[in-house]
Amino acid sequence: MEYLDNLNKLEFSNLDIELRNYAKENDVPIIQDEGLHFLRQVIMLKNARNILEVGTAIGYSAIQMAKLGANVDTIEINEESYKIALENVKKANLSDKITIYNEDALLIDISKLKKYDLIFIDAAKAQYINFFNKFKVLLNDKGVIVTDNLLFHGLVLETEFKSRNLRQLVNKIRNYNEWLLEQDDFDTTIYNIGDGLALSIKK
Ligand code: SAH
Ligand code: MG
């Protein structure tokens, strides 16, 4: 909402602005401002010290989270994105706070990861259930999982799609949303914030 967008303010460094422009020009789906407001406040409320992110892209969200003082481990499958993210993290002077793994999150050996207060799932939408199941064992007591893009630009509300692939992907997301709300070991609410964010609190 424009009214609130103008009232709620995030502070961006020159590097942040550079990353935001790069993302726009190169169609990198970085977290929307509304989602970032939410994520930041969840981190502050939880006093999250250790965060796992699935899906680094160019490092934008990892940098925003690490700026709050948290340690961020983040996983990126794409080598080019990984290299760009590494460079951006260095420019942000956050190399001691952010560890990037250039791996497929579905294949990564979790024994090299830590325990986390927050897990941010933001990678391949079709794999969300697999990501959730794989990484939930790394959550601390009362830890939380935030999942992004659950409204998929509003496409979850549509009935007709440009392609079979797109319809299948949308169905995967709908399926994840329903599945997520059925998980009895988590208290989950899906919010109409940014591109649709779920907050799942481990019971
Ligand atoms: N979190 C970022 C945006 C991530 S975009 C931000 O808000 O700034 C999603 C990223 O997930 C892409 O860079 C994509 O390459 C990566 N990805 C997709 N499948 C993956 C997988 N299986 N393992 C790790 N990363 C994956
Ligand atoms: Mg996202």
Side-chain angles (χ1 to χ4, degrees), residues 29-32 54-55 61 120-123 125 128 147-150 195-197:
I30 59 168
I31 190 165
Q32 296 182 7
V54 185
S61 51
F120 178 45
I121 300 179
D122 193 24
K125 315 304 161 210
Y128 272 5
T147 319
D148 193 20
N149 307 103
L150 298 182
D195 196 26
L197 282 169

Side-chain angles (χ1 to χ4, degrees), residues 37-62:
H37 276 287
F38 180 84
L39 197 55
R40 290 179 79 255
Q41 293 208 299
V42 169
I43 292 168
M44 288 186 239
L45 282 171
K46 286 296 307 170
N47 195 15
R49 309 308 309 163
N50 289 304
I51 298 173
L52 176 67
E53 174 180 70
V54 185
T56 318
I58 60 173
Y60 177 74
S61 51

Side-chain angles (χ1 to χ4, degrees), residues 28-32 39 53-65 74-79 81-82 101-107 120-125 127-128 131 148-149:
V28 183
I30 59 168
I31 190 165
Q32 296 182 7
L39 197 55
E53 174 180 70
V54 185
T56 318
I58 60 173
Y60 177 74
S61 51
I63 288 171
Q64 304 314 311
M65 294 191 285
T74 179
I75 312 167
E76 173 54 53
I77 195 171
N78 182 278
E79 194 182 354
S81 301
Y82 162 78
Y101 295 93
N102 183 202
E103 288 187 58
D104 182 341
L106 290 174
L107 301 177
F120 178 45
I121 300 179
D122 193 24
K125 315 304 161 210
Q127 299 296 340
Y128 272 5
F131 293 141
D148 193 20
N149 307 103

Side-chain angles (χ1 to χ4, degrees), residues 52-56 75-77 103-108 110 113 116 119-139 145-150 169 173 176 179-180 183 186:
L52 176 67
E53 174 180 70
V54 185
T56 318
I75 312 167
E76 173 54 53
I77 195 171
E103 288 187 58
D104 182 341
L106 290 174
L107 301 177
I108 198 169
I110 60 166
L113 299 173
Y116 301 96
I119 298 175
F120 178 45
I121 300 179
D122 193 24
K125 315 304 161 210
Q127 299 296 340
Y128 272 5
I129 292 182
N130 294 327
F131 293 141
F132 193 100
N133 280 331
K134 175 164 183 171
F135 296 113
K136 70 175 184 184
V137 298
L138 300 178
L139 271 186
I145 298 184
V146 173
T147 319
D148 193 20
N149 307 103
L150 298 182
L169 187 52
I173 296 171
Y176 177 74
W179 175 88
L180 191 55
Q183 302 312 299
F186 285 83

Side-chain angles (χ1 to χ4, degrees), residues 3-174:
Y3 173 72
L4 290 182
D5 290 343
N6 289 330
L7 274 179
N8 288 329
K9 283 279 176 255
L10 290 161
E11 276 179 33
F12 294 118
S13 66
N14 288 339
L15 177 66
D16 292 334
I17 292 165
E18 196 185 296
L19 298 192
R20 291 162 68 84
N21 289 338
Y22 179 93
K24 209 176 205 172
E25 280 158 24
N26 296 279
D27 288 321
V28 183
I30 59 168
I31 190 165
Q32 296 182 7
D33 289 355
E34 255 185 36
L36 185 56
H37 276 287
F38 180 84
L39 197 55
R40 290 179 79 255
Q41 293 208 299
V42 169
I43 292 168
M44 288 186 239
L45 282 171
K46 286 296 307 170
N47 195 15
R49 309 308 309 163
N50 289 304
I51 298 173
L52 176 67
E53 174 180 70
V54 185
T56 318
I58 60 173
Y60 177 74
S61 51
I63 288 171
Q64 304 314 311
M65 294 191 285
K67 267 203 266 181
L68 297 172
N71 295 303
V72 181
D73 289 347
T74 179
I75 312 167
E76 173 54 53
I77 195 171
N78 182 278
E79 194 182 354
E80 203 190 325
S81 301
Y82 162 78
K83 285 181 180 160
I84 294 170
L86 211 53
E87 201 52 43
N88 288 332
V89 165
K90 214 194 275 174
K91 282 191 206 165
N93 277 320
L94 288 168
S95 301
D96 56 336
K97 289 271 177 206
I98 300 175
T99 305
I100 316 176
Y101 295 93
N102 183 202
E103 288 187 58
D104 182 341
L106 290 174
L107 301 177
I108 198 169
D109 177 2
I110 60 166
S111 70
K112 66 180 170 195
L113 299 173
K114 299 195 276 275
K115 288 277 184 176
Y116 301 96
D117 308 307
L118 183 147
I119 298 175
F120 178 45
I121 300 179
D122 193 24
K125 315 304 161 210
Q127 299 296 340
Y128 272 5
I129 292 182
N130 294 327
F131 293 141
F132 193 100
N133 280 331
K134 175 164 183 171
F135 296 113
K136 70 175 184 184
V137 298
L138 300 178
L139 271 186
N140 285 325
D141 274 357
K142 303 267 168 66
V144 298
I145 298 184
V146 173
T147 319
D148 193 20
N149 307 103
L150 298 182
L151 295 174
F152 204 37
H153 327 296
L155 285 173
V156 289
L157 307 171
E158 299 295 324
T159 49
E160 285 184 32
F161 299 97
K162 275 188 284 191
S163 69
R164 187 158 167 263
N165 270 354
L166 187 60
R167 187 179 63 231
Q168 282 177 343
L169 187 52
V170 168
N171 279 333
K172 285 267 190 187
I173 296 171
R174 288 177 179 145

